[in-house]
Amino acid sequence: MRGYIQNVYNSLQMDYTEGTFYSHIQSLFNREFVNANGVELGLNHYSIEAQPSQDGRFPDFAIWDEENELITRIEAKRPEISLSVCLEENQNQLINYLNEATGHPNLILTNFLSFAFVRLEAGEAVFDGDIYFIAQSLEDLSNNPAQNLVAQAATEFRNLLTIIASLEASEVNSVSTTMNYMILLSHAVEDIFNQNEITMPGVTEEHNNV
């Protein structure tokens, strides 16, 4: 955890983008998955990967279990923006992600300093449960973080991992599942036309049977 805090702090000293922090969060999760606590939680075969956005249809990261089933996805925002503001300013995007028909269950929102699950409530994206803080603000970070900060951050992150370990794999949209759905839908429409012998207006019986 100390290394993660140091890496985030050092990256903040540069001309950074959101993507600057991607490798830090991947390293943190993958390292914590295989340490003693991760093994105890059964996460030692889990993995996290950055995901292509596909024109904004997919959050930034996906976490997979040992059977390569999707457990949760993570949407990341810039660290200088508080998580509450991230939630408020990205409602349309989060609502789109959480849509029941095409959405991503078990969605986590992060600004690299804190993490929280989000869900839909009365048509709005809201926090679902606790916020897990690595640091309360940018001012808490340094290249030599205090031991109490590191210890508290480690506890908070382990609490997050405990929730992740309890999640069931979810069938969520992906390029392949979306294509398969469209194929099944086209077959269903074709069957309806065939069963009802529908004739399009202005089309002769000869053309309809072609």
Side-chain angles (χ1 to χ4, degrees), residues 2-17:
R2 179 179 296 275
Y4 176 76
I5 294 173
Q6 291 171 326
N7 287 336
V8 171
Y9 173 80
N10 290 332
S11 292
L12 286 167
Q13 312 312 306
M14 305 183 300
D15 184 15
Y16 64 85
T17 66

Side-chain angles (χ1 to χ4, degrees), residues 73-130:
R73 281 198 160 114
I74 302 174
E75 176 60 24
K77 299 300 179 186
R78 293 173 65 91
E80 73 273 15
I81 304 173
S82 73
L83 208 62
S84 295
V85 174
C86 291
L87 179 73
E88 179 182 350
E89 292 185 346
N90 295 278
Q91 279 289 309
N92 289 341
Q93 182 186 39
L94 295 172
I95 290 170
N96 181 58
Y97 286 159
L98 292 165
N99 179 277
E100 289 185 2
T102 60
H104 306 273
N106 305 331
L107 181 64
I108 296 173
L109 179 65
T110 185
N111 62 353
F112 304 98
L113 303 185
S114 53
F115 301 81
F117 286 92
V118 292
R119 61 180 172 85
L120 283 181
E121 182 177 285
E124 294 186 357
V126 299
F127 289 130
D128 187 11
D130 295 331

